[in-house]
Amino acid sequence: MSIHKEIKKVTTHVLQELKQSGQKISMLTAYDYSMARILDAAGVEVLLVGDSASNVMAGHETTLPITLDQMIYHAASVIRAVERALVVVDLPFGSYQGNTKGALNSAIRIMKEAEAHAVKLEGGEEVVDSVKRILTAGIPVMGHLGLTPQSIYKFGTYEVRAKEQAEADKLKRDAKLLEEAGCFALVLEKVPAKLAGEVARSLQIPVIGIGAGSEVDGQVLVTHDMLGITHEFKPRFLRRYLNLHESITAAVQQYIQDVKTGDFPNEKEQY
Ligand code: KIV
């Protein structure tokens, strides 16, 4: 008999069961091994290797510059840490749009080289052929509608999307199309709570919101935002659970002082 406790891995089917039984799904971003270990052990169901790594990890203003190779590096680091969570990896800008074969190749590289569990891509009708082609290889796909940061130069701002009826109607049509194409879940970013609730109730697949209110099937946040590592970014939807920016600054300042005064290392901290 194994001495290891059996770990029930989170699969796309588990997420479906959670929705059916009315239990909410928790999802957070992860980009590296150490943080992913903590998040997985804490019990979060889905880890998203988001292309927000472009902002948070690399300091770019948008998500557009991050490459497929860089996403695979982050994803492989996260996968090595994870025992239980479902790991979903963003297909980066330029790796899937307008070319279904290219989309399939990008998704296969993520699954093969990072050993990820699923991919996510942004858009509706425009990318539905790519979604279908990726699914032919047995790769689970998560959709992403509403504010889709890879289209920031089209939108012009990071404001709430789909406040107008025409855009809300298109979002509802796109959500249905993605479900029919075979997506196992959908992220809705920064859209009115009422619209998000309607979409969640109209679909069988789980809808995970970020800035999309409480009537959806789960929530996702960027981990660095909810832990307060980033501190300038203050959207209304963000709840900060820690202020790590302050705690880390204080700890580092204490360390500098201890080094300068000779307090560190003390006798017990040397050989
Ligand atoms: O890249 C990301 O972090 C995301 C979430 C905001 C959903 O796509």
Side-chain angles (χ1 to χ4, degrees):
M1 200 178 83
S2 165
I3 56 163
H4 296 291
K5 219 168 82 197
E6 185 76 19
I7 292 171
K8 186 168 192 295
K9 288 188 188 291
V10 180
T11 63
T12 58
H13 300 280
V14 169
L15 299 185
Q16 187 64 53
E17 282 163 20
L18 288 173
K19 170 155 181 154
Q20 272 160 7
S21 61
Q23 296 178 67
K24 301 274 189 184
I25 296 163
S26 61
M27 171 161 144
L28 284 171
T29 61
Y31 319 105
D32 69 277
Y33 175 83
S34 303
M35 185 67 86
R37 266 193 94 175
I38 297 172
L39 303 178
D40 184 51
V44 69
E45 278 111 6
V46 186
L47 286 180
L48 172 66
V49 184
D51 59 357
S52 50
S54 179
N55 313 106
V56 179
M57 292 279 108
H60 292 295
E61 212 168 292
T62 73
T63 57
L64 276 67
I66 199 160
T67 65
L68 184 58
D69 284 338
Q70 288 165 341
M71 288 304 294
I72 289 170
Y73 168 80
H74 286 297
S77 308
V78 168
I79 282 285
R80 282 192 286 274
V82 164
E83 295 190 340
R84 177 177 172 272
L86 182 81
V87 178
V88 182
V89 181
D90 264 337
L91 282 167
F93 176 69
S95 72
Y96 63 95
Q97 294 95 338
N99 175 357
T100 62
K101 187 159 187 281
L104 175 61
N105 288 340
S106 303
I108 287 177
R109 280 199 62 201
I110 286 175
M111 301 301 280
K112 206 183 230 331
E113 296 174 39
E115 300 185 69
H117 306 146
V119 298
K120 173 165 86 58
L121 50 73
E122 297 181 5
E125 191 183 1
E126 315 76 23
V127 296
V128 81
D129 289 338
S130 290
V131 169
K132 287 181 186 161
R133 185 103 186 236
I134 294 169
L135 283 160
T136 62
I139 300 170
V141 181
M142 177 181 269
H144 183 157
L145 295 172
L147 177 65
T148 46
Q150 292 179 13
S151 304
I152 187 58
Y153 290 113
K154 185 176 92 182
F155 296 146
T157 77
Y158 286 100
E159 288 302 304
V160 178
R161 304 303 314 174
K163 286 201 287 192
E164 308 298 331
Q165 194 58 47
E167 195 178 336
D169 288 343
K170 173 166 165 42
L171 188 144
K172 287 192 234 177
R173 280 197 308 276
D174 282 343
K176 207 71 202 151
L177 267 180
L178 291 173
E179 176 172 73
E180 283 164 8
C183 282
F184 72 92
L186 175 67
V187 165
L188 280 187
E189 179 165 355
K190 245 183 156 183
V191 296
K194 189 166 164 282
L195 172 66
E198 265 178 57
V199 173
R201 284 187 293 278
S202 73
L203 300 185
Q204 301 301 311
I205 58 172
V207 174
I208 317 284
I210 172 164
S214 61
E215 295 176 35
V216 288
D217 306 305
Q219 298 293 328
V220 55
L221 284 175
V222 169
T223 298
H224 287 62
D225 296 338
M226 61 87 82
L227 294 181
I229 297 173
T230 53
H231 68 296
E232 300 95 344
F233 183 59
K234 293 180 181 134
R236 173 170 161 174
F237 68 77
L238 175 63
R239 185 179 293 182
R240 284 203 203 286
Y241 287 82
L242 274 179
N243 188 342
L244 275 186
H245 180 265
E246 237 172 50
S247 312
I248 293 172
T249 303
V252 171
Q253 285 172 341
Q254 184 65 54
Y255 167 74
I256 295 167
Q257 189 185 323
D258 291 352
V259 170
K260 303 248 181 235
T261 59
D263 183 74
F264 174 77
N266 64 25
E267 267 182 35
K268 287 191 201 140
E269 292 163 332
Q270 57 195 335
Y271 300 98

